Amino acid sequence: MEPRFFDTHCHLDLMLSPDAAASESAALGLGLFDCGVDPRDFAAAKKRASRHPNIIAGAGLHPWWLADGRCGPAEVNLLCEVADQERYIGEVGLDFSARFAGSEPLQIQALDRLCDALVQYPLAGRVISIHAVRSAGTVLDALESYGLLTPSPNSPAIIFHWFSGTSNEFDRARNAGCYFSVNERMLATKRGREYARQIPLDRLLLETDAPAEPQADASARQLITSLKSASLHIAELKNCAEESVESTVLGNSHSIFDFN
């Protein structure tokens, strides 16, 4: 069954009951892009996805995990090895907020390593979900320098998850043809609402970024409610019908993700 809703950025591994959420999502017609935060967990995530055709597992390494020492060079190596063969990558990127000051060089080195691996082992239809906090310009510089923003048959679909950069960075990402996944918490800010209003409908995706906290409960019904709330809010911002936003966003999801 093809999904009727699609969450473009969530974390099953961080949920209290990931298998229950996976099963419930399948029953309710909810597709999930399960964005990894630690490459050591990817094998288990991919095994779970193999049991649930509505789930797509992405190999990732969250910059927070690098910044606080939970992951290091060995995990960067593992991510690059896995990414050589995988279409779906996420969550990766940079976080230059104050709490991670001093880790910027390590984060940039990891992103460069990943970009190089993706270029060395190109795959058609790749999708990358990117975390970019106070660093969107640096992320765009890296993607550009490795040719990952240059249109080609093997160009990846770049998704900026919960975009919070400057207006100039937003314009740059939008002009480069990137996608943007929007959640309720992004829409709770004035800047987030303005960006959502400006995102072209054909580049708009919806996400929950659930769970809000590690090991928190997050049911598929809650995820769908969150997605529908974000869709309604965006429709109001764009002065268009909610059904139009929902159908277009689902079409965008179908265009870049393979649903079995």
Side-chain angles (χ1 to χ4, degrees):
M1 179 178 69
E2 290 189 342
R4 295 180 293 117
F5 308 95
F6 196 82
D7 185 345
T8 317
H9 191 105
C10 68
H11 305 288
L12 283 172
D13 283 340
L14 300 181
M15 293 182 185
L16 181 63
S17 304
D19 290 329
S23 297
E24 185 190 13
S25 65
L28 295 177
L30 172 63
L32 303 172
F33 184 25
D34 180 17
C35 291
V37 295
D38 186 329
R40 292 169 293 190
D41 298 330
F42 179 65
K46 193 161 186 182
K47 185 175 181 181
R48 183 189 300 118
S50 72
R51 300 193 300 268
H52 300 280
N54 61 308
I55 295 174
I56 292 171
L61 202 177
H62 201 297
W64 294 358
W65 269 242
L66 274 174
D68 66 11
R70 279 178 282 185
C71 290
E75 287 71 41
V76 174
N77 290 340
L78 177 58
L79 174 67
C80 293
E81 290 170 9
V82 171
D84 290 350
Q85 309 165 52
E86 294 294 330
R87 278 184 57 189
Y88 299 107
I89 311 296
E91 178 170 2
V92 295
L94 303 173
D95 194 313
F96 291 174
S97 53
R99 62 186 282 209
F100 301 118
S103 68
E104 295 91 344
L106 180 63
Q107 294 183 45
I108 292 171
Q109 183 182 44
L111 181 60
D112 282 342
R113 287 279 316 283
L114 174 62
C115 288
D116 185 59
L118 299 179
V119 170
Q120 294 300 319
Y121 297 91
L123 287 175
R126 237 190 203 121
V127 180
I128 309 172
S129 186
I130 293 179
H131 175 112
V133 174
R134 298 189 182 180
S135 59
T138 306
V139 169
L140 287 163
D141 287 345
L143 296 173
E144 192 174 75
S145 68
Y146 283 93
L148 293 171
L149 295 179
T150 303
S152 77
N154 289 327
S155 295
I158 303 294
I159 304 171
F160 276 94
H161 135 73
W162 192 344
F163 190 87
S164 61
T166 67
S167 57
N168 286 340
E169 291 167 339
F170 172 75
D171 289 342
R172 187 178 167 193
R174 182 182 56 183
N175 293 339
C178 298
Y179 289 86
F180 300 85
S181 55
V182 176
N183 62 45
E184 285 188 288
R185 283 177 285 175
M186 176 176 171
L187 294 169
T189 68
K190 182 177 180 181
R191 175 181 288 184
R193 290 190 294 272
E194 181 56 26
Y195 288 163
R197 189 185 66 80
Q198 295 183 42
I199 295 169
L201 268 176
D202 66 352
R203 295 287 148 174
L204 176 66
L205 299 164
L206 296 177
E207 62 160 73
T208 64
D209 198 24
E213 299 290 339
Q215 299 304 305
D217 191 22
S219 71
R221 290 187 186 279
Q222 290 171 328
L223 302 187
I224 291 172
T225 297
S226 179
L227 294 172
K228 288 182 70 66
S229 175
S231 181
L232 175 60
H233 201 157
I234 291 168
E236 292 170 348
L237 291 169
K238 290 183 173 294
N239 194 27
C240 63
E242 181 184 2
E243 294 78 8
S244 175
V245 172
E246 285 187 359
S247 62
T248 302
V249 167
L250 186 59
N252 295 341
S253 300
H254 275 275
S255 73
I256 61 176
F257 291 96
D258 274 344
F259 299 129
N260 296 324

